[in-house]
Amino acid sequence: MSPVVPLEPQERLGPYQLVGRLAEDRVFLADSPSGEQVVLRRLARPLDSRARDAVARIWETAAVGTAHILDVGRDYVVTEYVEGPTLAEEIAGRGPLTGTALHRLAIATATALASLHRAGLHHGRVRPGKVILGPDGPRLLNPDRTRAATAFDDDVWRRPDEDEGPAADVFAWAAVVVFAATGRPPFDEDAERRRSYGAADLGPLTGPLRDLVADCLAQDPADRPTAEETLLRLLGHSGTLDTAMPDPHTPRPVVPPPPARPRSRMPVLIAGAVVLALAAGAAGYFATPRTPRTVTVAATTAPAAAPATAAASAAPSVRPPTPVPTSGVAEVALPDGTGTVYEHPDDPIRLSSYQVTTEDDQRIPYAYTGRGYTKTGNHYDLTVISPDGRWQVTINEFYLSQHERMDVSLTDLKDGTSFTLPTVTTPTTAHYPIWSPDSRTLLLSLWYTETPEKTYPSGFMKVDPVTRKTTVFQTFNADDIAGFLALPANLRGGAMSAYTWTPDGGIASIYVTPEQTYGLRLYDAEGRVLRSMHWVGRVTGRDWFSPSGRLLLTSGCEETFASCLWDARTGERVATVPAREKEHLLGWFDETHLINGRQDGGTYRVEVVDLTGKPVRVLAELRSREDGLAQLFFTPK
């Protein structure tokens, strides 16, 4: 949105308090009766029946990727307020988009058009000024159906003399993508010259995106792909959705054979294919890695001093490495000959619990209880200690081999009291116990097993040791389960959702993207999806976020062995850390060092490495069977 100019004095329109004027005439920032900020467009004349019907259809559609209509009055329309610059403002201020930022813009806007077109609507006003780069990614503003179409007839975002409609939307979408990549429209502004010299200037566009944009700018509307085909080509799903699930709320339409085209095209897509693409991919593609600008309201008085936390919200960079103590390190022998820990008083973390696989194939847990390490369970038990050192929890991840119900055993290390809480029952299992940073809630990832070949994620569970309450949150519905089980087995195995805490107290999990790669999905505390970061690769280990919460750690983001660091807020990559074969991430040592694990025969070696991938110091060596499993948990001192 454009900067907001305050109103003096303020006005009301219906139940809305107008607090500022946007650059466009008759468009205001307003406060709703509930206190929410909205955008109110005052109409030049009351809606007639045709305009009212058009607005109502857009309102009812609530198309994915658009700024939704919230209310319609006799002489105004209210939409949600999307904070951020328009694409036109962004390009004017920071220059053209490149790489993944450009691709995400293309996908987000194509998703919005596909959603509109599937509802039987068209946009008719696709242009850079109608794309807002909001904090949750690009949004396409809905068109103003109260303005005459002739006002837009001779601009550079549509072909001269072509009527509005879905094909014209696709043409305008491609023109906007070219503008985003070059900073200029693809065609000359003079309509007569465009009729004579119709070739578009596609500038630096290359590869499949250039080919797709060129197809969308075809002179004959019949030669252009539909918005649905455009979206699926962007997602890399051309021709792969033959088994897509139809929308259960939408009758399957009878699709007539497509007209002959001068060159081969993709098959006509069933309605459910677009539903699948939108449901599986939209949230991920709305999260742009470019840092959105903040819309500011011009103040009549001097602004207050910036809060002390303002610096923390700046885009993170890789800091110079902090020193890691390498001398004066003490060797601490672990019980039952399970290994050695190498500690220094200045280390920011401590090995608080671990699990090793013995020679007789028993997976046994141990934990640090304040007076040293001790065995805390039996085969398949796993123990984790809360960050504040108060709570010790032990679970059996494979309880169903012996019991019908999984119990969580908790010990208050402060006073020594212990108790057991009943949780899930077969065939649900709980995995990956993770304490919240404030040590108040335990998070467990839930899986459901119908048969050995049909195991899938179902959600997560929270355990509150103070109130002794457990709460289950279902994040997978029937369509999610069907989509997951349709994936290749190797992808399913790597995407059995492990949930963890985000720095702000939300929830995050791994998921499989529409391109069949791995990404990160973000939820609120109740399990509602907020956004996705589909491009970051696979999160691994226990500590995905750095101690400050500013950086996100993933693997599988390069063709070579490497880890990637991302700005946890914007999704921009800030560093790539080389890794060695058979080495895997365990988490963070401090803000500038990682912890890697590597099985070497019967020894599981844990090392601190810097952000160039160079080993700095050994943290621990555990005796664990070569074909077994070792798990380590670290907590801050």
Side-chain angles (χ1 to χ4, degrees):
M1 287 291 184
S2 303
V4 182
V5 179
L7 292 176
E8 293 291 345
Q10 293 186 354
E11 309 174 31
R12 293 188 71 87
L13 188 59
Y16 298 94
Q17 179 75 51
L18 309 185
V19 298
R21 185 187 304 275
L22 294 167
E24 192 174 347
D25 187 32
R26 302 194 311 277
V27 180
F28 302 89
L29 183 67
D31 288 336
S32 71
S34 64
E36 178 186 13
Q37 283 198 319
V38 296
V39 173
L40 184 146
R41 181 186 299 276
R42 191 200 301 267
L43 306 179
R45 60 184 184 276
L47 292 171
D48 58 23
S49 58
R50 182 177 180 181
R52 190 162 49 249
D53 180 64
V55 171
R57 291 181 66 197
I58 297 173
W59 187 4
E60 292 168 1
T61 300
V64 174
T66 63
H68 294 165
I69 294 176
L70 305 176
D71 189 14
V72 179
R74 183 174 179 273
D75 53 355
Y76 62 84
V77 175
V78 178
T79 61
E80 64 176 319
Y81 175 48
V82 182
E83 190 174 7
T86 66
L87 178 62
E89 292 167 342
E90 178 77 355
I91 300 303
R94 299 177 62 183
L97 306 184
T98 58
T100 53
L102 177 65
H103 201 71
R104 284 185 207 109
L105 172 85
I107 291 174
T109 46
T111 300
L113 287 182
S115 183
L116 280 170
H117 292 178
R118 185 170 178 269
L121 303 170
H122 68 273
H123 192 281
R125 309 287 191 272
V126 180
R127 62 203 65 251
K130 287 291 185 181
V131 177
I132 299 292
L133 303 182
D136 59 348
R139 296 282 197 97
L140 186 62
L141 297 183
N142 281 307
D144 180 3
R145 293 300 186 192
T146 66
R147 299 181 63 174
T150 55
F152 300 93
D153 281 349
D154 291 326
D155 63 19
V156 295
W157 312 108
R158 57 188 297 172
R159 286 198 57 80
D161 303 328
E162 184 176 335
D163 293 335
E164 285 186 9
D169 279 351
V170 169
F171 184 97
W173 169 86
V176 168
V177 171
V178 173
F179 172 81
T182 64
R184 60 183 183 275
F187 294 103
D188 193 284
E189 294 186 27
D190 184 273
E192 291 300 324
R193 290 183 60 186
R194 286 175 61 199
R195 290 188 180 94
S196 301
Y197 308 99
D201 178 6
L202 302 186
L205 289 176
T206 60
L209 182 58
R210 183 184 181 94
D211 295 341
L212 174 59
V213 166
D215 285 350
C216 293
L217 293 173
Q219 181 172 354
D220 186 347
D223 290 341
R224 301 172 199 157
T226 66
E228 298 173 357
E229 293 171 339
T230 297
L231 173 61
L232 295 184
R233 284 176 62 176
L234 286 167
L235 297 179
H237 280 248
S238 175
T240 66
L241 293 173
D242 297 333
T243 60
M245 295 284 291
D247 183 350
H249 303 295
T250 304
R252 185 186 299 265
V254 178
V255 182
R261 288 182 172 177
R263 57 184 182 277
S264 63
R265 316 298 298 170
M266 293 193 300
V268 173
L269 303 176
I270 61 171
V274 176
V275 173
L276 181 62
L278 295 175
Y285 299 115
F286 291 165
T288 173
R290 290 172 65 92
T291 306
R293 293 176 182 169
T294 301
V295 176
T296 57
V297 177
T300 56
T301 59
T309 57
S313 64
S317 59
V318 177
R319 303 174 183 173
T322 53
V324 174
T326 56
S327 60
V329 175
E331 297 185 13
V332 179
L334 297 172
D336 301 330
T338 52
T340 304
V341 174
Y342 301 94
E343 296 182 340
H344 191 280
D346 294 336
D347 286 348
I349 61 172
R350 180 194 303 276
L351 177 65
S352 57
S353 63
Y354 63 96
Q355 182 197 65
V356 293
T357 304
T358 63
E359 284 301 318
D360 57 353
D361 202 25
Q362 297 287 298
R363 287 166 54 176
I364 305 300
Y366 295 82
Y368 182 82
T369 59
R371 294 179 298 274
Y373 293 89
T374 185
K375 181 180 174 181
T376 55
N378 299 309
H379 185 38
Y380 280 134
D381 283 345
L382 192 64
T383 296
V384 290
I385 306 295
S386 61
D388 63 1
R390 176 180 177 182
W391 295 103
Q392 173 186 298
V393 63
T394 299
I395 68 169
N396 189 298
E397 293 183 290
F398 295 94
Y399 74 94
L400 48 77
S401 63
Q402 301 175 1
H403 308 287
E404 289 294 314
R405 185 185 72 197
M406 190 188 86
D407 293 333
V408 173
S409 299
L410 289 130
T411 299
D412 187 342
L413 298 177
K414 185 176 180 180
D415 60 20
T417 59
S418 298
F419 55 92
T420 299
L421 295 179
T423 59
V424 295
T425 57
T426 183
T428 300
T429 53
H431 307 266
Y432 298 102
I434 300 287
W435 283 100
S436 60
D438 62 9
S439 301
R440 299 174 65 177
T441 310
L442 180 73
L443 184 70
L444 290 158
S445 304
L446 301 181
W447 301 352
Y448 191 91
T449 301
E450 293 185 19
T451 67
E453 293 76 29
K454 291 185 68 176
T455 297
Y456 48 84
S458 63
F460 59 85
M461 178 171 60
K462 291 181 180 180
V463 178
D464 185 332
V466 174
T467 63
R468 303 191 181 188
K469 177 182 178 183
T470 61
T471 309
V472 171
F473 297 86
Q474 297 290 140
T475 60
F476 270 60
N477 60 27
D479 290 340
D480 297 326
I481 294 168
F484 183 86
L485 293 177
L487 293 170
N490 63 317
L491 281 176
R492 295 201 306 271
M496 288 301 293
S497 293
Y499 293 84
T500 194
W501 299 95
T502 59
D504 61 358
I507 308 292
S509 78
I510 189 173
Y511 83 109
V512 179
T513 73
E515 297 106 334
Q516 295 198 351
T517 59
Y518 296 112
L520 186 73
R521 180 163 286 152
L522 301 171
Y523 305 81
D524 66 13
E526 304 301 314
R528 291 179 288 265
V529 176
L530 298 176
R531 65 186 181 108
S532 300
M533 300 167 71
H534 74 283
W535 59 92
V536 297
R538 191 170 188 267
V539 284
T540 58
R542 299 285 176 173
D543 300 322
W544 302 349
F545 296 93
S546 66
S548 70
R550 289 154 54 94
L551 296 174
L552 169 69
L553 176 65
T554 68
S555 63
C557 47
E558 293 284 346
E559 294 183 0
T560 58
F561 293 103
S563 306
C564 291
L565 303 185
W566 310 84
D567 180 329
R569 181 172 58 90
T570 67
E572 288 191 76
R573 187 189 295 197
V574 298
T576 302
V577 184
R580 292 172 291 179
E581 189 174 359
K582 296 183 180 179
E583 193 173 63
H584 56 274
L585 292 165
L586 297 179
W588 295 83
F589 179 79
D590 59 23
E591 198 72 15
T592 58
H593 293 87
L594 307 176
I595 306 173
N596 281 349
R598 179 184 176 90
Q599 188 78 36
D600 186 6
T603 300
Y604 187 80
R605 184 169 289 105
V606 183
E607 295 178 317
V608 179
V609 299
D610 63 21
L611 297 188
T612 68
K614 177 183 176 181
V616 176
R617 194 187 101 205
V618 176
L619 271 184
E621 292 177 324
L622 303 181
R623 289 184 57 192
S624 188
R625 182 168 159 168
E626 184 172 7
D627 59 352
L629 176 70
Q631 298 192 69
L632 296 92
F633 300 86
F634 296 88
T635 53
K637 286 185 176 178

